Structures are given as C-alpha cells and as structure tokens.
Amino acid sequence: MRMEQVPGLASTFLVHAKVRFVPPVDALAFERLLIQAWETARAQWPSVELPAEPFVTHLAQRLPEASPQSPLEPLLGQLSLAELYLACACERGIPSAIDIFERHYLAKLPGLLRGPKQPDAMIDDVCQLARVKILVPTHEGAPKIAEYTGRGALLSWVRVTAVRIAIKLQAVEKPTSSQDADTVFAALPAPGFDAELDLIKRRHHTDFRQAVSEAFTVLSNDERHLFRLYFVDQLSMYELAALFRVNQSTVSRWLKTARQRVYEETQRRLQARLGLSSRDFKSFLAVLDSQLELGISQLLRQEDEAPGSSKQS
C-alpha cells in the first residue's frame, strides 16, 4: 500500500506503529477500521472529547507484538480500546477524562489495597502518591498513565502500580524524628568544604545532631509528613503541589516555614546546651546557618529552579 494513497488516519497509524503487521488491502477499509475503533472507544466515555488523530497515534504506538504476517484487525481486538481512549485523554490532561479516571478507578483503590496489616494512613499515602505518579507529568516526561498498553484491564494496571508504590514505602519505614535529623545532617557539607565549619562540626557534632533531632519534635505530624515526602521519597515541588492540590508557591512556603521552625529551635537548644556567650553564640550561628542552608535550603533551591517552576519563593 503506497503512502500517498492512504487516507489521513491510516497514514497516521502507519507512521506511528512500532510493530509490523498486515494492513487491510483496501485503503478505505483501513480508514474505516480505525474510525470504527475510535467511535467504539469514545462511545464508552461520551463526555470525553478526544479527536481521532491523537487516539489513533496512541493506539498505533501500543500495538501488541506479533508476527509481521498478522492482520491488523485481530491485533486491535486484543486491546481494551475504551480504556486506551480514556488513558490517552488523561495523558493529554483532558479534565473530563481525569474526573472519570478518579471516580471509576482511583476511588476503588482503597478497597483494593486494604488488608489486615495495612494501616489506613499507609493506604491514604499510597493512594495519594498513585494519583500523582499516574496523572501528573514531570519535567522529565509524560505521566505514568502513558505506560498503560491496553493489554489487560486498566483497573488491574492501576492496582499493580499502587501495590509497587506500597512495597516501596514499606521497604523504607517512616523515619523517626531522629532519622529525619540524620537525613538533614547527611546533606551537610563534607569535611574540607570550610575550615571553620569543619572545626565547629567536629567539636559540636553530637550536640548539633541532638539539637536538630530534638528540634524536629516541635513540628506537627503534617510538617513531618511533608518533610518525609520531600527528603525521603524525593517528590518534587511540582508533584507535592499536585498531591496536595495547591500551588507550588504554597508548598514552598510550607517547607520554608517548617525549616525555619527547625532552625530556630536548633538555635535555642544549642545555646542552652553549649552555654555560649552572646558573642560566641553569634559567631557559632553564622556557621550553623550555613549548615542548615546547605542542608535543607539547597534542596529547596534545586526545586525552585526546576523547569516549569516560576520561582516559588
């Protein structure tokens, strides 16, 4: 079949197909087959407006592996066309599709994940993370729903995705306040970065670690949860904003407020513990400030400068 003789949708399909197959001999029959696939798929979701061309492109890229001698129609029959249509629309950020996906798929996740050894807090975390991972694009690429191939039920794919997230969360238990402090401390400059800072760190290493650990106890559960998602799970500012359904500037403000509380409480505890004079303590704070800035704020700054972020400070 010569490309110049192929109608629009069929031509698009041939360009984007990643596997070889035997197309219908008649070009018009080829076009009708694709139109029928599109109409059948969108009939399931009448409120979702997805044009034929992007759907056909999406479909062609997910055609299952087969013998080059396989005819096209049976290959299409192996795919869940309606759910591929919905997934394609979600990937493109169509609001009506995302609303349907949340109501028909994500809303069922808690029941699918709940078990005798699964605390509700963990299930809530998994469901929230699953929503972000599946529906929210990052500066690195498309949202995870783009990975759905249409081979198998979409709900099963969503459940598997969520279970993998749950396994990852269970593998790294929620850090205690002491572990949170260790995360911050590990991000501080290595020896050799600055002579004065090295001296202070060596001399007051234990005191500083203890003060930071104690300072974390003043944070609310929500603030510690936010820190855990940001530092341990390494969710980006963009993902956190989507997770909590707020602006990135709001997430940035939450993080900086929590950091400031840790900073001020660490100052207070260190001054009391070390018994420094006001003059000595002022000198010590200059170094302490650089440690906390290079620990927490450096990570915040990296997200502020990420693509798609309009300087969230």
Side-chain angles (χ1 to χ4, degrees), residues 82-97:
E83 292 186 313
L84 269 178
Y85 181 95
L86 182 65
C88 178
C90 286
E91 181 187 348
R92 295 173 68 85
I94 297 175
S96 57

Side-chain angles (χ1 to χ4, degrees), residues 24 52 59 77 79 84 137 166 169 179 239 245 247 255 285 293:
L59 189 60
L79 301 175
L84 269 178
L169 286 181
Q179 289 172 316
E239 289 173 315
R245 303 189 183 190
N247 295 328
L255 285 165
L285 286 186
E293 285 296 333

Side-chain angles (χ1 to χ4, degrees), residues 82-152:
E83 292 186 313
L84 269 178
Y85 181 95
L86 182 65
C88 178
C90 286
E91 181 187 348
R92 295 173 68 85
I94 297 175
S96 57
I98 292 173
D99 178 64
I100 288 172
F101 183 80
E102 290 180 332
R103 288 188 289 109
H104 289 262
Y105 296 90
L106 292 180
K108 295 178 181 178
L109 262 185
L112 295 173
L113 297 175
R114 187 163 286 114
K117 296 183 179 180
Q118 298 290 348
D120 288 344
M122 169 67 80
I123 291 175
D124 288 344
D125 284 352
V126 170
C127 291
Q128 290 177 4
L129 287 171
R131 181 187 183 279
V132 171
K133 295 293 185 184
I134 291 172
L135 293 176
V136 179
T138 69
H139 61 271
E140 296 175 350
K144 194 171 183 64
I145 199 166
E147 298 176 13
Y148 173 63
T149 63
R151 281 162 273 175

Side-chain angles (χ1 to χ4, degrees), residues 262-273:
V262 172
Y263 173 75
E264 291 174 354
E265 187 66 16
T266 300
Q267 287 183 356
R268 188 184 70 78
R269 292 175 183 272
L270 276 173
Q271 187 169 24
R273 180 175 285 114

Side-chain angles (χ1 to χ4, degrees), residues 172-192:
V172 181
E173 294 181 356
K174 290 183 178 180
T176 63
S177 59
S178 174
Q179 289 172 316
D180 282 330
D182 286 345
T183 299
V184 175
F185 203 82
L188 302 182

Side-chain angles (χ1 to χ4, degrees), residues 10-87:
S11 177
T12 296
F13 193 91
L14 289 172
V15 167
H16 293 281
K18 296 182 177 180
V19 300
R20 295 179 63 189
F21 60 92
V22 178
V25 176
D26 180 76
L28 292 179
F30 191 178
E31 188 82 357
R32 283 196 299 270
L33 177 63
L34 296 177
I35 291 174
Q36 182 181 13
W38 172 62
E39 291 178 340
T40 299
R42 72 170 181 167
Q44 182 73 27
W45 323 106
S47 65
V48 179
E49 293 292 336
L50 176 67
E53 186 169 353
F55 172 68
V56 166
T57 299
H58 194 84
L59 189 60
Q61 294 169 340
R62 288 152 185 81
L63 204 62
E65 292 283 349
S67 164
Q69 286 74 44
S70 299
L72 176 60
E73 191 167 0
L75 295 181
L76 295 180
Q78 297 178 31
L79 301 175
S80 177
L81 296 178
E83 292 186 313
L84 269 178
Y85 181 95
L86 182 65

Side-chain angles (χ1 to χ4, degrees), residues 215-235:
F216 266 84
T217 65
V218 307
L219 296 178
S220 68
N221 289 334
D222 287 343
E223 287 172 323
R224 284 200 292 270
H225 179 58
L226 182 66
F227 265 42
R228 186 174 70 251
L229 292 174
Y230 189 79
F231 286 107
V232 180
D233 296 327
Q234 296 187 323
L235 265 66

